[in-house]
Every structure is written in C-alpha cells, then in structure tokens.
Amino acid sequence: MKKLSFDFNNMMDYNAGRHGIKAKELQAFAPNAALAFKHLASILKDRKKRVALSLEWANLPFQDKSSIEAIQKLGKEIAGKYENVVSLGIGGSYLGIKAAQDALLPPYYNDFPALRKGCPRIFFEGNNLDPETLSSLFANLNPKKTFIVVISKSGETTETKAALELAEAWLKKGVGPKFARQILAVTDPRSGTLRKKISAASAKDPLAYRSLPLLEGVGGRFSELNMGLMHLAVTGVKINEVLKGAAGMAKICDHGDMLKNPALLYAVLSVLEFQRKGKPLSILMPFSEQLKSTADWYIQLLAESTGKKYARSVVSVDGLERWVENKSRVINTGRTPIAARGTNDLHSIQQNNIEGRNDKVVTFIRVEKFRRDLQLPNGSDFLSGRKLSELLKTAQEGTAWALTREKRPNCAIILPALNAYYWGALLFFFEMATAYEGELLGINAFNQPGVESYKNYMFHKLKKPGISKAVAEEIEGNPVRKTRRYTL
Ligand code: PA5
C-alpha cells in the first residue's frame, strides 16, 4: 500500500534561498529533535504518564475492538430509526467530527438521499451562541425523526449546554416525556454537570440519555478518534480503517531520526522557520474541497496547543511527571495558523502569500487519486479533454513554483487517496507533529488556559454559582475603559 508522503524540498535553502533551511542547520538540530522524540516516547509507552499529561490520545489508534463494535451497533440502531442527527459541541468537541464528515462522506451528503445510503442527515449546532441557526434548524426538522448527540468533555461548556437545553425543550414539546431517549451524550465518565444529568435521568429510565465516555487523558482537540466514533458509526464510515491509518502513522512516527519520522521533521522545520527565519504564520492549504474542514480542525489543534504565554516547568507529583506554567518565563510563543484551500483561495489570500510580507510557510495537502473525476469535453480549447484532477494538480504545482520563485518556503503532504485509511493517517500525523512542536518549544501543548478568561467573564456576569472571589475581583477591578469620544 502506498504511504502518505511529505515533500519538503521547498523549505530548503537550495529552493527558498535565505528563507530556507540549510542541510547543515537541519543536521545541527538533530540532537534537539532526538531529545524531543525520546522524552515523548518515554511518556507514550506508559499509560499512567500518558493520562497524567493528557497524552492518552496517542493510544486511541490501538483502542479495544469490542468497544468499537458496540459503538457501531448503536450507530446502526440510530441510523435505522432517525432521519436526522444533530451534533451539539464546540471546539475539540466539534471540529474533528466536521472534518471527518467533509473528508469521508460524499460532498452534498445531506442534500441527496442516494448519497446517504439510508444514513441520517447530520447537522452541527452548539458551536456558537448565534440564535438564528438553531432557530432555523428546529423550525425545519421533525423532532420525531431527529436524534441529538451532545459532546462535551467537561460537560460545562456554555455554548453546548445552552444548545442542549433548547434541544431538550424542543424534543419534549415534539415527542413527549420520553424525549431523553433521543439523546446520546459523550462526556467525561465521572465529572461535570452533563454526567450528573445522565446519571439522574438514566436511573429513572435506562434508555434516557445513553452515553459514551470521553476518556481520561484525552483533550478535546485530540479526541476525534474517541468522541468522533459515534458520528462515524452513524454515517457508515469504516471506523477500523480510520484507526488502521492512524496506527500506521503511529508506527512510522516511532523513530528518533527525524529523517525517518515525518511528523517530527514537520515540527522541526516549522520551529526552525518560526524561530530563525521570521515565519510566524502557517498557512495550511489543502487542494481538495473536502479537506477544508480538516484544515479548520488543524487551526484549533495548532493554535490552542502551541499558542502559549509561559514556558513549562517539569515537576514530579506522586512520582509522576507533571507540567506547570513557569510564571517567571513569559515566552508568548506559537505559530499563527491560517486555513485556506486551493484552488478557491488562489483568488484570495494567495496574492498576499506571494507578494506580501515573507513571514509565512505554506503547507499544501495534495490528493493523488480522487474517488471520482471529470473529463472536459473535447474541443479546440487548451482545456479540451483534460481531467479536473489534472488541472487541480497543475494548479498546486504552479502555486508551489510561484511561491518558491519568490523564495517563500512551502511544503506538501501527499495523500495517495482520500479515504478513511489515509485520513486517519493524516489526522495522526498532525497530532504527533503538534506534540513534537510543543516539546521543541518547551511548553505544555495539552492545556488551553488562554480560553478560560472569556468563560470566567461570562460565568461571572451571568452569575454562575461557584466563581471564585479572586476571579470576580479581577473582572470588576479591570473594566475595559470606554469613552464616547472614541465611539463614532
Ligand atoms: O481542545 C479543547 O480541549 C477545547 O477546545 C474543548 O474541546 C472546547 O473548549 C469544548 O470543551 P468541552 O468538550 O469540555 O465542551
């Protein structure tokens, strides 16, 4: 079977000039890369360490087959009974599923029954507080034919909680008191308000609020192969193929020599470009409409994992390694990710990529063989008889050539085909690359303290019980100043 490959020729100095990396520079960095690999590998091989540091996701490709079978059975049952599934969740509890849906189901899946092959339509909600979308969806769906899957690791997220409460009220009105039989929750097995709700409801009716666990040590943005499995099962995707692809990539990445480990190499090149060549921006540009949402997922993965204020300190708690913020080392690090897609965004962001500041690295994702292709009719035009896949490939090569001519570093990840196996491999490639990048930057890539402030502000203003006095005082003591003079 062909492998996913990584072409980084255009990141090197012989193509990108002084903006590229010299072979010697790469060689000199090899000990750092080997150290990052060694440290992560020592954590990955021990379950206790993985869980303590939120790296349990790395074991998901090897998860127990019997639980997958149970999920598949439940997924089939839901698919057989309902015309619609509404998936509620945000951030890591949304983006991976959306990425899977767009990559692995046929385009226009929701629009045409023939494409769905008896599976339900899938809608995504709870990923915003915008009242228009949910109102419109509920006004147009039949509650009797709709199943709700709510996903929240913490079980506390405002967007998801609000959408769930509205969905419950809507279902109750439409189907009566047994409405909770049409809800499945994916959440922490023990803690959180959502878990409490499930326990209380299922004690009265075992079919109400069925649930699946979001495993300990698996953070949201790394959880697609855990929280996303029900979505794959409901839509008839071969879960085992996705896991096999991810496991294959895990095996490839089990190498301390970066020239044999593409995820490690991707992290090294990214960090060198970021720290030594002045490239803080990272543009991910799949040349595939179906992979745009995968780029959106990666934006979250990279931004939340590596955009950090403090360096990390390693401490030991009960004999286990833990990472804490080193408040005396403010580093404000992390590349800024941007999602784009070819060829659509060649008529948009590409002008800036080519002629704007030389402060970015473009990563292309290319699909070698499409499931379906189209050939243009024969005629006198230069396009006569060409396949769309050929035009797309030439456009990608042209974009890489144009960037390289201007000494703009770029690289390409090449998928032999877009299917469950290679998508699983791609997902795991990015997850491993992000973990390595966190190591190289000396940060904790598995928390997201920066997103807490707005939540605390909301909780305080909305009077959620349990907000600490210190948080309340901080919010009240530091109001945003507003003068009429600066509001026109
Ligand atoms: O990656 C993460 O951990 C976050 O993006 C979360 O997924 C997001 O905040 C949603 O959290 P939860 O799943 O607890 O509702």
Side-chain angles (χ1 to χ4, degrees):
M1 190 188 253
K2 274 188 167 181
K3 279 189 196 152
L4 176 152
S5 56
F6 174 48
D7 179 348
F8 62 102
N9 274 284
N10 298 343
M11 302 276 279
M12 302 302 289
D13 63 334
Y14 50 81
N15 278 331
R18 70 183 172 83
H19 296 276
I21 292 152
K22 294 187 181 73
K24 262 190 191 163
E25 227 173 325
L26 201 55
Q27 224 168 21
F29 204 74
N32 300 21
L35 220 60
F37 170 82
K38 202 170 155 209
H39 186 216
L40 266 189
S42 74
I43 297 163
L44 294 188
K45 66 174 191 255
D46 181 326
R47 183 176 181 275
K48 269 193 188 159
K49 293 183 185 172
R50 288 197 306 267
V51 170
L53 293 168
S54 296
L55 276 137
E56 182 60 6
W57 56 267
N59 205 46
L60 292 174
F62 310 103
Q63 62 192 279
D64 180 31
K65 297 282 171 290
S66 60
S67 52
I68 306 280
E69 279 162 22
I71 293 172
Q72 263 162 334
K73 201 167 155 229
L74 188 54
K76 229 175 166 182
E77 181 198 315
I78 296 167
K81 277 195 194 157
Y82 297 96
E83 277 179 14
N84 317 298
V85 168
V86 181
S87 184
L88 306 179
I90 192 166
S93 294
Y94 157 59
L95 290 160
I97 317 184
K98 177 75 166 85
Q101 168 132 339
D102 291 352
L104 302 178
L105 303 181
Y108 304 109
Y109 168 91
N110 266 7
D111 300 314
F112 303 108
L115 295 177
R116 293 201 297 277
K117 300 193 175 123
C119 294
R121 296 185 294 178
I122 311 286
F123 299 93
F124 296 96
E125 270 299 335
N127 53 64
N128 207 325
L129 291 167
D130 183 333
E132 294 282 359
T133 58
L134 197 56
S135 314
S136 181
L137 190 64
F138 285 161
N140 288 287
L141 288 184
N142 179 348
K144 292 197 173 81
K145 295 184 175 171
T146 303
F147 193 85
I148 305 285
V149 178
V150 54
I151 306 168
S152 177
K153 168 94 177 161
S154 62
E156 305 292 346
T157 304
T158 307
E159 287 86 342
T160 317
K161 203 165 152 20
L164 176 63
E165 285 181 22
L166 289 163
E168 287 170 329
W170 175 75
L171 275 182
K172 198 171 180 179
K173 196 168 164 218
V175 303
K178 297 223 166 108
F179 72 92
R181 291 186 173 192
Q182 287 176 224
I183 302 176
L184 177 113
V186 187
T187 189
D188 188 278
R190 276 178 290 277
S191 66
T193 313
L194 185 54
R195 178 52 64 185
K196 269 193 207 139
K197 183 182 267 197
I198 296 164
S199 307
S202 55
K204 289 187 200 148
D205 173 3
L207 292 179
Y209 274 113
R210 281 177 288 177
S211 72
L212 291 171
L214 248 165
L215 302 175
E216 208 187 346
V218 179
R221 55 194 176 274
F222 289 87
S223 72
E224 168 53 18
L225 302 181
N226 178 180
M227 63 93 200
L229 297 183
M230 179 48 73
H231 165 260
L232 298 179
V234 164
T235 52
V237 173
K238 289 184 183 143
I239 296 180
N240 287 333
E241 279 299 294
V242 178
L243 295 180
K244 248 198 242 168
M249 181 52 69
K251 196 162 170 233
I252 293 171
C253 293
D254 192 14
H255 221 295
D257 175 353
M258 63 182 163
L259 292 177
K260 294 187 175 141
N261 178 341
L264 181 58
L265 182 63
Y266 186 69
V268 165
L269 293 168
S270 302
V271 168
L272 286 175
E273 286 286 354
F274 174 43
Q275 292 184 333
R276 301 190 185 170
K277 314 282 169 188
K279 307 282 177 279
L281 304 184
S282 162
I283 297 179
L284 184 58
M285 189 184 262
F287 269 67
S288 152
E289 196 61 28
Q290 287 186 265
L291 286 173
K292 170 63 172 42
S293 307
T294 300
D296 292 335
W297 162 79
Y298 178 65
I299 300 313
Q300 185 214 4
L301 186 76
L302 186 69
E304 277 195 350
S305 303
T306 65
K308 296 287 153 75
K309 181 171 180 180
Y310 300 108
R312 80 174 183 212
S313 287
V314 176
V315 296
S316 168
V317 179
D318 299 331
L320 275 180
E321 177 174 335
R322 302 276 180 167
W323 298 338
V324 292
E325 288 176 334
N326 180 345
K327 299 267 162 123
S328 61
R329 280 198 61 214
V330 174
I331 52 174
N332 295 117
T333 192
R335 299 181 291 138
T336 303
I338 297 161
R341 70 197 188 282
T343 63
N344 192 297
D345 289 323
L346 299 183
H347 302 260
S348 162
I349 198 173
Q350 184 61 11
Q351 170 62 29
N352 183 282
N353 293 351
I354 293 273
E355 292 192 355
R357 290 185 70 178
N358 193 344
D359 55 0
K360 27 191 118 48
V361 173
V362 178
T363 300
F364 300 109
I365 306 177
R366 209 172 76 203
V367 177
E368 272 191 327
K369 195 163 167 31
F370 286 86
R371 278 174 285 223
R372 303 165 203 84
D373 207 346
L374 285 172
Q375 190 167 16
L376 274 84
N378 285 325
S380 53
D381 193 74
F382 71 101
L383 293 176
S384 162
R386 303 270 189 204
K387 287 188 172 162
L388 275 191
S389 61
E390 182 192 352
L391 303 184
L392 188 67
K393 183 167 186 266
T394 314
Q396 190 275 322
E397 285 168 356
T399 312
W401 175 82
L403 285 169
T404 309
R405 198 183 60 140
E406 292 295 323
K407 308 293 176 214
R408 313 267 158 152
N410 61 92
C411 57
I413 298 163
I414 300 143
L415 303 189
L418 181 51
N419 58 27
Y421 180 88
Y422 290 120
W423 189 76
L426 180 70
L427 201 80
F428 205 75
F429 166 85
F430 280 128
E431 291 181 344
M432 285 305 296
T434 306
Y436 289 130
E437 193 161 335
E439 278 300 297
L440 294 170
L441 295 174
I443 50 154
N444 181 356
F446 307 103
N447 63 1
Q448 55 286 329
V451 299
E452 296 309 314
S453 326
Y454 101 90
K455 288 189 194 170
N456 283 339
Y457 182 94
M458 276 187 83
F459 293 155
H460 171 65
K461 293 287 174 187
L462 299 172
K463 303 195 174 22
K464 183 182 181 195
I467 292 300
S468 75
K469 204 167 156 232
V471 168
E473 277 171 8
E474 221 222 316
I475 293 168
E476 292 306 322
N478 294 292
V480 175
R481 281 179 56 202
K482 279 201 195 299
T483 72
R484 288 185 65 84
R485 196 167 161 219
Y486 294 125
T487 309
L488 302 188

